[in-house]
Each structure stands twice: as structure tokens, then as C-alpha cells.
Amino acid sequence: MPTFTDFSNRIAALRPAMLKFARMQLRDESLSEDLVQDALSAAINKQEQYRAGAELGTWVMSILKNKIIDYYRGRKEMVSLDDSDQAARIDAQYQACFDENGHWQKESGPEVWQPNPTEAHLERQDFFKVLEKCLGNLPENTARIFYLKEVMGMEVEEICLDFGITPNNCYAILHRARNGLRQCLQKNWYGTDKGET
């Protein structure tokens, strides 16, 4: 088992990645700082629970994820799709991708992307930067619910309880999030203006 100081230093080195993760999810600088600090303190105080063979970053990030989930559970806020102009815009843009028979419009269909294998690592890093920006362009609650479901792995039933929404509402939000991300990635990653949002 590493010394307390070594363990604390290794955990403190994870802080920038944790802040980035929290900011993307919470969209609130002060709240992100608070929850990251809580997660760091919890990790340091639970050093005896850490198994040396496990990935330290994964263990600490799971603590942060739980802090964020607990925060949302404590809020119990209602999410309304009807109040979001952005949600309506995403729906309209999505519908415009199809013709009257429900087939992809030629200019709107998904494009094939095949990176050069020698560039795969850099491409992947750039892709995640663009994905992060695209998530930031979604309506706030849409991005949060998408993140809780797809990144944090929460079940729809849990999300519905935490946000006070119905499963149908949740699935509609997830559908809009996926469409918004697809459109943003199509334009900013797969399209000709790659990397700009």
C-alpha cells in the first residue's frame, strides 16, 4: 500500500481530468469545483478501500460520478421539453434529414469515415474534443440526461425518478440528444469543416 502522501499526490494529479468531466456534466464552474473537491476528499479518506491492482483513475472517477448522481437525485427538478426552443430546433433539423417516404435525404445521410490507422490515436483525441463541444451545444437538461444514461450508465427508471419525468419523456430527451449530437458531429467532425463548432 502506498504511503498517505504518495496516494494523495496521485489522486491530486487526477484533478484536471475530474474537473473537465464535472464541468461537462454540470455546466457550473463552482458546483464542479465543489463536487470534485468532495470526491477527492472522499478518495483520500477511503484509501484503505482502494485495491492496489485496480486503476486509480477509474476508482476516483467512480466516486465523482456517484457525487454527481447524488447531486441530481437531491435536486428532483422537473424537466420540460415544451419549454425548450433548442429541442424543437433539433427535432425540426432531424425531420428535414428525411424525405416524405422516411428515407435519408442524399445530402443528410450518414457519411462513411475511415481514418488512416497511423493517425487513429490523434483522430480519436480530436474526436472526443469535438464530441465534448457538441454535448455542450445541447440544451442543458438534454445533455445531463444523455450523460447520466449513456456515460454514467444510469437506468431510465432511475433518471425518471430523479428528474420527475415519465419514461416516454426520458426516451424523447435521449432521442433528441442523439439527433443533436449526430447533427453536430456530422457537421463538425465527419463534414468538411472538421473540428470547428
Side-chain angles (χ1 to χ4, degrees):
M1 167 106 29
T3 66
F4 180 80
T5 303
D6 289 342
F7 189 76
S8 298
N9 289 339
R10 286 177 58 202
I11 287 177
L14 299 170
R15 188 173 187 279
M18 294 171 72
L19 272 173
K20 184 176 181 181
F21 177 83
R23 285 181 191 131
M24 183 189 300
Q25 177 60 27
L26 299 165
R27 297 185 185 194
D28 181 313
E29 186 72 28
S30 179
L31 180 59
S32 297
E33 292 275 353
D34 290 347
L35 291 183
V36 165
Q37 189 59 43
D38 287 351
L40 289 169
S41 296
I44 290 169
N45 291 332
K46 296 178 181 183
Q47 177 181 359
E48 69 281 353
Q49 293 179 13
Y50 170 69
R51 289 174 292 156
E55 174 61 41
L56 181 64
T58 303
W59 181 70
V60 173
M61 288 301 283
S62 70
I63 294 172
L64 177 58
K65 286 177 186 179
N66 289 332
K67 296 282 183 190
I68 293 170
I69 289 169
D70 289 345
Y71 165 76
Y72 283 124
R73 285 186 176 141
R75 288 186 63 193
K76 300 283 187 194
E77 68 179 22
M78 179 63 78
V79 177
S80 171
L81 294 177
D82 299 329
D83 296 338
S84 174
D85 290 338
Q86 285 182 305
R89 180 184 50 78
I90 290 171
D91 278 347
Q93 288 175 341
Y94 178 72
Q95 293 304 323
C97 293
F98 301 94
D99 64 21
E100 60 276 356
N101 297 320
H103 298 107
W104 285 104
Q105 300 278 7
K106 185 175 182 178
E107 65 277 359
S108 299
E111 295 179 18
V112 177
W113 176 63
Q114 305 251 343
N116 180 332
T118 60
E119 300 171 1
H121 181 70
L122 290 174
E123 292 279 351
R124 188 169 44 248
Q125 286 179 329
D126 290 344
F127 173 79
F128 283 108
K129 287 178 187 173
V130 173
L131 177 61
E132 184 178 332
K133 288 180 182 179
C134 288
L135 275 168
N137 289 337
L138 290 175
E140 189 171 334
N141 285 324
T142 301
R144 286 178 176 163
I145 288 172
F146 177 84
Y147 215 80
L148 288 171
K149 173 71 172 91
E150 302 300 341
V151 178
M152 295 186 173
M154 283 182 71
E155 296 296 326
V156 167
E157 295 77 18
E158 258 188 300
I159 294 170
C160 290
L161 286 173
D162 293 344
F163 282 84
I165 59 176
T166 66
N168 285 343
N169 199 352
C170 187
Y171 287 119
I173 291 169
L174 291 169
H175 177 74
R176 286 186 171 133
R178 290 181 188 110
N179 289 334
L181 289 173
R182 185 197 63 79
Q183 291 168 8
C184 182
L185 289 170
Q186 189 74 34
K187 176 183 177 197
N188 298 295
W189 182 253
Y190 299 109
T192 57
D193 50 350
K194 182 189 287 190
E196 296 175 13
T197 54

